[in-house]
Amino acid sequence: MTTVSTLPEVVTVRAPAKVNLELRVGPRRRDGYHDLATVFQAVSLHDEVSVWRSDDWQVLAAGPYAELVPTAGENIAVRAARLIAARGEVDEALTIRIDKDIPVAGGMAGGSADAAATLLACDLLWGLDLDRDELGELAAELGSDVPFPLQGGNLMGSGRGERLTPVLARGSFDWVFAVSGTGLSTPEVYAEADRLRQQWRSGPPPAPRVSARLMAALRSGDAEALGAALGNDLQEAAFALRPELRDLCEAGIDFGALGAIVSGSGPTVAFLTASHEAALDLSVSLSAAALCRDIRRARGPVPGAQVVAAPRTPRSPGPG
Ligand code: ATP
């Protein structure tokens, strides 16, 4: 009898970037993390991750930000693959190809999207058949922002941001992302936020909460209300470290954006616009003002990690 493998040889999964519509940051915890209350929205900028078996661990990167993608040793996609390999007791090395369309180190959780995509791709490649909850647990081990791109849509995040719950939302929103030249490291921005807080207030900050205003705006699907409700507790820290980001936010509002917010820990700035046409107009104005390195448009919400291709190429029949 001949055996033909039913497992795919290459699996490709795409996963979305995120924007935090609101990011509220509580006091620094003993473990060094901060308690967060946030609402994530997945947006239509995607990385594609392909995995296949190889003799050694290897990362190949392509796309506009490829040169900024770390090689195998430090890449979070490799950590994700090794983690799920350990969970499934698989002892195989992989080549991981990342088609990178999400700005790197921009506060849009591109690395986390790659990690989420890799978990799903490896699950399929190795036939592990983990359910979404099991994948979510592995994702949370890898990083606070990794569970979200597995699910996508609009979700509330609590804890370090990794505990996700649904939010009532309708509508679809047009975004313009102004990508700044210089990365801001997430720990650097949190440290600056802590420093500013010590200057401004005597006691510890209150427990973080997402505003009723933002939830109402999402329920109604009203872009104008959402634009006015956007908020980020890390924004002042990002402005302190990169003063030009404040000018960028103000310029976008002057050019007609409904709202402007530093995305996560920055330095990408997200502008909410009234329509696709308004997003095009804003892109042209921002581009002419030459205030940022790159401009990307996207819509949100979009679904989380999805399998793009998993061809089941039959292996050569074995002997006998
Ligand atoms: P954070 O999760 O810190 O908010 P971010 O969203 O600002 O990150 P990422 O694009 O995820 O930005 O990259 C953060 C850092 O992670 C990069 O500077 C890079 O060195 C490292 N990194 C590791 N793996 C990846 C990857 N697959 N893609 C991009 N960056 C990666």
Side-chain angles (χ1 to χ4, degrees):
M1 206 178 89
T2 57
T3 48
V4 174
S5 169
T6 56
L7 293 178
E9 307 247 310
V10 182
V11 181
T12 303
V13 172
R14 66 188 215 146
K18 59 87 184 164
V19 58
N20 298 81
L21 304 177
E22 186 167 356
L23 176 56
R24 298 297 168 208
V25 180
R28 192 168 185 274
R29 307 189 317 201
R30 274 162 190 264
D31 63 6
Y33 289 101
H34 293 73
D35 272 324
L36 302 181
T38 189
V39 175
F40 295 106
Q41 180 168 101
V43 296
S44 59
L45 292 180
H46 292 92
D47 282 356
E48 276 193 11
V49 175
S50 302
V51 298
W52 62 92
R53 297 171 183 85
S54 64
D55 292 336
D56 295 306
W57 289 94
Q58 197 187 359
V59 170
L60 308 175
Y65 308 102
E67 80 282 4
L68 300 172
V69 175
T71 51
E74 313 136 43
N75 202 296
I76 190 169
V78 175
R79 286 208 288 124
R82 287 185 190 274
L83 183 68
I84 191 169
R87 168 74 170 71
E89 297 178 1
V90 176
D91 184 17
E92 284 185 334
L94 298 178
T95 295
I96 301 177
R97 179 189 152 108
I98 301 174
D99 285 281
K100 191 101 196 127
D101 200 37
I102 303 175
V104 174
M108 301 192 71
S112 300
D114 298 347
T118 304
L119 289 175
L120 189 55
C122 290
D123 181 61
L124 212 63
L125 184 81
W126 289 324
L128 303 178
D129 213 14
L130 301 184
D131 62 32
R132 286 265 165 166
D133 285 347
E134 291 171 304
L135 290 174
E137 280 166 25
L138 294 177
E141 272 186 55
L142 290 162
S144 314
D145 282 350
V146 183
F148 175 69
L150 275 177
Q151 297 194 41
N154 296 298
L155 289 173
M156 172 116 63
S158 58
R160 293 181 282 119
E162 84 289 10
R163 285 207 300 269
L164 300 172
T165 45
V167 294
L168 270 179
R170 68 161 68 105
S172 179
F173 301 94
D174 289 279
W175 294 94
V176 174
F177 294 97
V179 182
S180 225
T182 40
L184 273 176
S185 93
T186 302
E188 184 190 12
V189 177
Y190 273 97
E192 180 64 13
D194 288 338
R195 199 187 63 76
L196 290 176
R197 277 177 168 171
Q198 270 169 9
Q199 259 178 21
W200 292 340
R201 43 184 320 142
S202 43
R209 292 173 68 107
V210 168
S211 68
R213 192 180 176 207
L214 184 97
M215 299 308 271
L218 271 178
R219 272 199 307 276
S220 68
D222 179 339
E224 206 164 318
L226 185 63
L230 299 173
N232 181 357
D233 281 349
L234 296 177
Q235 186 152 299
E236 283 304 320
F239 287 166
L241 295 167
R242 297 278 189 284
E244 64 275 18
L245 295 180
R246 191 192 294 277
D247 302 337
L248 181 55
C249 285
E250 286 172 2
I253 296 292
D254 288 347
F255 291 143
L258 300 176
I261 195 171
V262 169
S263 180
S265 57
T268 298
V269 172
F271 297 102
L272 185 64
T273 63
S275 63
H276 181 64
E277 289 67 32
L280 285 171
D281 287 348
L282 178 60
S283 307
V284 171
S285 304
L286 286 171
S287 196
L291 291 167
C292 52
R293 189 186 63 181
D294 196 7
I295 293 167
R296 308 297 306 277
R297 285 182 300 280
R299 279 177 82 76
V302 296
Q306 283 184 325
V307 179
V308 178
R312 288 182 162 74
T313 313
R315 300 234 177 94
S316 325

